Amino acid sequence: SQQGEEDPQALSIQEGENATMNCSYKTSINNLQWYRQNSGRGLVHLILIRSNEREKHSGRLRVTLDTSKKSSSLLITASRAADTASYFCATLGSGGGADGLTFGKGTHLIIQP
Amino acid sequence: DAGVIQSPRHEVTEMGQEVTLRCKPISGHNSLFWYRQTMMRGLELLIYFNNNVPIDDSGMPEDRFSAKMPNASFSTLKIQPSEPRDSAVYFCASRGANTEAFFGQGTRLTVV
């Protein structure tokens, strides 16, 4: 199964600034997904980028994927206090079979009002 | 659809007791995952099923842990006997083919 590793582990910025989080993985993938987790709750899917895509936008979110470097980044623009959460990446393998989604330890993002 | 439904939401049990966690995936999803989350270890994949068949249970920590999926709409994760170090939040998630995973609200397990 695949595993994403996020960095930094923790990030604290001022409201209104942009937040960038990175994810690295090890083997070939079908797609990469970013999730968000508010304290005490389940993960919520944010955005999915396929291996043949290089960039994707959704509202204030921008995701890039570099398959040559096996890395992805998640950019949150014009951050808000409500964006405070942990963010995780997960990958789906390209083997075509049933793959487990594995997650890293996540990036804990704190937006200071 | 109500999403992935887990029960109970909270469970407090004494060491040595059997614990059963339940999950109802989203209808039509063919993959189901069980995760455990702790501060120390993060989010660990315990086991996942595809079309009700266990595909990879290498994440199950010990023989005390077992999981079943008797049909497409129900799965259980059982711990017998439970130990204090099993205390964690246990999440169930499901997904369809090449789609994102949808998570339940989790079961917070405390073993005293």
Side-chain angles (χ1 to χ4, degrees), chain A residues 1 30-31 33 35 37 40-45 48 50 88 92 97-105, chain B residues 9 31 33 35 37 40-43 45 48 50 55-56 91 95 98-105 108:
Chain A
S1 59
N30 180 290
N31 64 59
Q33 304 170 30
Y35 290 78
Q37 184 181 33
R41 297 192 173 246
L43 278 70
V44 174
H45 179 261
L48 180 153
R50 303 193 188 283
F88 298 83
L92 181 67
D99 285 304
L101 277 175
T102 55
F103 295 81
K105 286 187 166 55
Chain B
R9 289 294 308 277
S31 294
F33 308 84
Y35 293 91
Q37 188 175 38
M40 292 295 293
R41 295 176 178 267
L43 196 63
L45 175 63
Y48 70 95
N50 194 54
I55 301 300
D56 184 356
F91 288 103
R95 71 174 176 87
N98 290 331
T99 67
E100 67 269 29
F102 292 81
F103 280 74
Q105 290 298 302
R108 182 173 295 276

Side-chain angles (χ1 to χ4, degrees), chain A residues 5-98:
Chain A
E5 290 293 338
E6 302 86 352
D7 83 271
Q9 290 188 359
L11 179 62
S12 180
I13 61 174
Q14 293 295 122
E15 192 168 21
E17 293 180 340
N18 295 341
T20 299
M21 290 158 274
N22 303 297
C23 169
S24 59
Y25 57 92
K26 295 177 182 175
T27 57
S28 61
I29 62 171
N30 180 290
N31 64 59
L32 184 143
Q33 304 170 30
W34 284 92
Y35 290 78
R36 165 193 167 129
Q37 184 181 33
N38 287 85
S39 179
R41 297 192 173 246
L43 278 70
V44 174
H45 179 261
L46 293 176
I47 193 166
L48 180 153
I49 186 166
R50 303 193 188 283
S51 59
N52 61 354
E53 298 176 310
R54 292 295 168 260
E55 187 171 313
K56 201 163 184 179
H57 297 254
S58 177
R60 294 184 296 113
L61 304 180
R62 173 176 167 250
V63 169
T64 62
L65 179 63
D66 187 336
T67 52
S68 66
K69 295 181 180 178
K70 293 186 170 57
S71 66
S72 173
S73 67
L74 171 67
L75 168 68
I76 303 174
T77 61
S79 62
R80 304 168 182 169
D83 295 329
T84 294
S86 292
Y87 293 81
F88 298 83
C89 68
T91 55
L92 181 67
S94 61

Side-chain angles (χ1 to χ4, degrees), chain B residues 66-82:
Chain B
S66 63
K68 294 182 180 179
M69 192 164 185
N71 56 62
S73 59
F74 184 65
S75 177
T76 59
L77 177 67
K78 186 174 293 187
I79 308 172
Q80 166 63 18
S82 58

